[in-house]
DNA sequence: ATAACGATATGATAATTATCATGGCATGAT
DNA sequence: ATCATGCCATGATAATTATCATATCGTTAT
């Protein structure tokens, strides 16, 4: 094995390498490129030719599209272990969304041709990928339906709960999104995101210090998210 | 080859069998079950254990979820060649949506364990499935974003165009959905679907005879869908 | 035949949400 | 320093959409 290849130590290796024989793992590993991105930097640009299979080692990124009027629509927030390029990567040769870093992030890029070659010879990897892609697609679709059926306050509550419980695992966190981006995520206007946050603050559900949010009353927030 | 197995003649065989060696194709083929459903019948019920890999030979079906308030949300309309169970099938052991027939339909059900076994030994099939799943997921997500950014009239126009141009390939067709179901698909109320249709009729864009729709002015409908 | 029901349809009104205007407060550029 | 710019914030108003009430029509059950 290539001694310069540290994939065996990578905290993500299980996702990929658990299903691969050593020789294949080495091929992937030696072909990989790690890239670091600062907050705000573009990782993938919509319309770009797909060459790499990208996953996120650390940080936080947003996937989004720009519509005809130049407005952005955020598709999802991806955290480490998520396969950033997974959706488009097998369906087309160009990305149909962009990805930018919400926090300083590190990606690991694997060569797409290598991946294809290995899949053809390795059924376990294929099943593994099918499963991950299936989970991802399911999640995105269910989230989308979930958000759609809520009122504005419920959408903002939903987002805050997501950050608290599934990303930062804390009642207090710094929002990685601007108010505008939150609006782009849940399909409402910036003003109404701000208004909802202000109302939550006035009702004693949150404390807000700029981008830092402290959830004071998790239960109420939860019931607003479910319907209130 | 099993002489009773007519998969070689199936119009769908290309989707599956083009990537399989004969021996595997025979295994799949002899394990398949074809099922016929009348309009309105349930094909898959949310929460049910997944045993089969289902695809649609003929007809038209809706995929939908029931939310906590008992309301239905339609995820998509699937037409022949679509892999009805594709989304959940690799991610979980239970369906998280239901499928019912909008028209008389025939499905072909393959044994999921067989599929898994064969994928492990057949990389081309795996890549083929990955690609199809990727396309499907992409489409669902982009459609969802597309619908979300439109006003109500635009959503109804979008739906009508979809039926005319991608399903029935005609300016005149019989709606496979009730007004209520159209509303559940695009996230609006039944009354407003009806109102939009009535307005299109008054404006001379459509002729409506119950469930039969004739699109008189395709261009106007298209511009309403895009934004108007 | 008649009653009951669900789908279609329309209007009036209420609720929700977007848009527009304005101002404060940071931050970075000149 | 001050200027411009991009968030954040709030209020007033307009637009959009949902809800409620009511009626018709067709179908099915009795």
């Amino acid at each position: 094995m290539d001694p310069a290849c540290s994939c065996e130590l990578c905290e993500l290796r299980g996702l990929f390498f658990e299903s691969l024989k050593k020789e294949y793992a080495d091929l992937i590993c030696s072909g990989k490129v790690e890239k670091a991105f600062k907050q705000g930097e573009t990782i993938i640009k919509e319309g770009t030719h797909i060459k790499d299979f990208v996953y996120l080692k650390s940080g936080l990124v947003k996937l989004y599209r720009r519509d005809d009027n130049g407005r952005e629509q955020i598709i999802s927030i991806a955290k480490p272990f998520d396969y950033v390029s997974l959706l488009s990567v097998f369906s087309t040769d160009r990305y149909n969304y962009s990805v930018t870093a919400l926090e300083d992030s590190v990606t690991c890029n694997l060569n797409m041709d290598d991946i294809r070659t290995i899949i053809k010879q390795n059924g376990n990897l294929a099943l593994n990928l099918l499963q991950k892609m299936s989970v991802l697609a399911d999640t995105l679709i269910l989230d989308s339906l979930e958000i759609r059926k809520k009122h504005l306050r419920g959408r903002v509550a939903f987002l805050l709960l997501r950050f608290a419980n599934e990303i930062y695992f804390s009642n207090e966190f710094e929002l990685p999104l601007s108010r505008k981006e939150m609006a782009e995520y849940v399909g409402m206007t910036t003003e109404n995101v701000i208004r909802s946050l202000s109302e939550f603050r006035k009702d004693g559900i949150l404390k807000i210090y700029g981008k830092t949010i402290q959830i004071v009353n998790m239960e109420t927030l939860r019931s607003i998210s479910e319907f209130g």
Side-chain angles (χ1 to χ4, degrees), chain A:
Chain A
M1 173 181 174
D2 181 351
C5 183
S6 59
C7 291
E8 290 211 331
L9 305 174
C10 172
E11 65 270 36
L12 294 177
R13 59 185 291 279
L15 292 176
F16 230 91
F17 296 94
E18 70 189 4
S19 51
L20 283 182
K21 291 195 203 95
K22 192 140 183 15
E23 50 180 310
Y24 292 121
D26 284 355
L27 172 57
I28 291 275
C29 192
S30 58
K32 76 163 195 306
V33 179
E34 253 181 58
K35 292 186 184 174
F37 296 90
K38 288 217 181 304
Q39 182 180 359
E41 279 190 300
T42 300
I43 296 172
I44 290 172
K45 189 147 175 48
E46 194 176 335
T48 295
H49 196 71
I50 297 178
K51 282 174 305 211
D52 292 342
F53 186 94
V54 181
Y55 68 85
L56 190 62
K57 279 195 75 166
S58 65
L60 200 71
V61 304
K62 64 170 177 178
L63 281 65
Y64 62 100
R65 255 175 87 76
R66 193 174 297 278
D67 75 11
D68 320 314
N69 306 332
R71 272 186 290 242
E72 286 180 8
Q73 290 183 292
I74 293 183
I75 299 168
S76 78
I77 308 289
K79 52 182 202 289
F81 297 83
D82 285 342
Y83 291 76
V84 169
S85 61
L86 192 50
L87 283 178
S88 287
V89 94
F90 288 105
S91 63
T92 162
D93 64 340
R94 292 184 184 280
Y95 288 105
N96 52 34
Y97 52 81
S98 298
V99 179
T100 78
L102 295 172
E103 300 175 349
D104 293 354
S105 298
V106 177
T107 64
C108 186
N109 297 21
L110 308 179
N111 183 280
M112 198 56 211
D113 289 332
D114 289 349
I115 301 271
R116 272 187 230 277
T117 305
I118 292 174
I119 285 173
K120 283 191 194 167
Q121 295 160 19
N122 195 302
N124 284 324
L125 174 61
L127 268 181
N128 200 338
L129 280 176
L130 277 167
Q131 196 227 336
K132 297 215 185 320
M133 194 152 119
S134 186
V135 169
L136 181 57
D138 264 0
T139 305
L140 285 179
I141 289 160
L142 296 185
D143 277 359
S144 160
L145 292 179
E146 191 69 20
I147 287 170
R148 184 176 93 180
K149 78 182 181 202
K150 292 181 196 304
H151 287 178
L152 299 197
R153 284 161 52 92
R155 294 181 191 183
V156 174
F158 175 84
L159 254 190
L160 295 175
L161 290 171
R162 173 65 58 90
F163 286 127
N165 300 326
E166 292 172 43
I167 295 183
Y168 297 114
F169 305 101
S170 164
N171 284 2
E172 188 170 344
F173 55 88
E174 192 178 324
L175 275 173
L177 299 177
S178 67
R179 315 295 198 251
K180 180 157 171 284
E181 287 172 315
M182 291 177 68
E184 288 165 349
Y185 194 0
V186 295
M188 49 192 283
T189 44
T190 308
E191 291 95 321
N192 282 329
V193 168
I194 292 169
R195 259 185 273 269
S196 297
L197 287 173
S198 298
E199 284 171 29
F200 293 161
R201 177 174 42 74
K202 283 173 197 156
D203 294 346
I205 300 168
L206 302 179
K207 291 187 178 168
I208 304 179
Y209 319 94
K211 283 211 185 311
T212 301
I213 300 285
Q214 183 192 348
I215 298 178
V216 176
N217 191 334
M218 183 67 83
E219 273 321 301
T220 306
L221 197 62
R222 207 167 260 140
S223 75
I224 291 172
S225 171
E226 281 177 22
F227 198 95

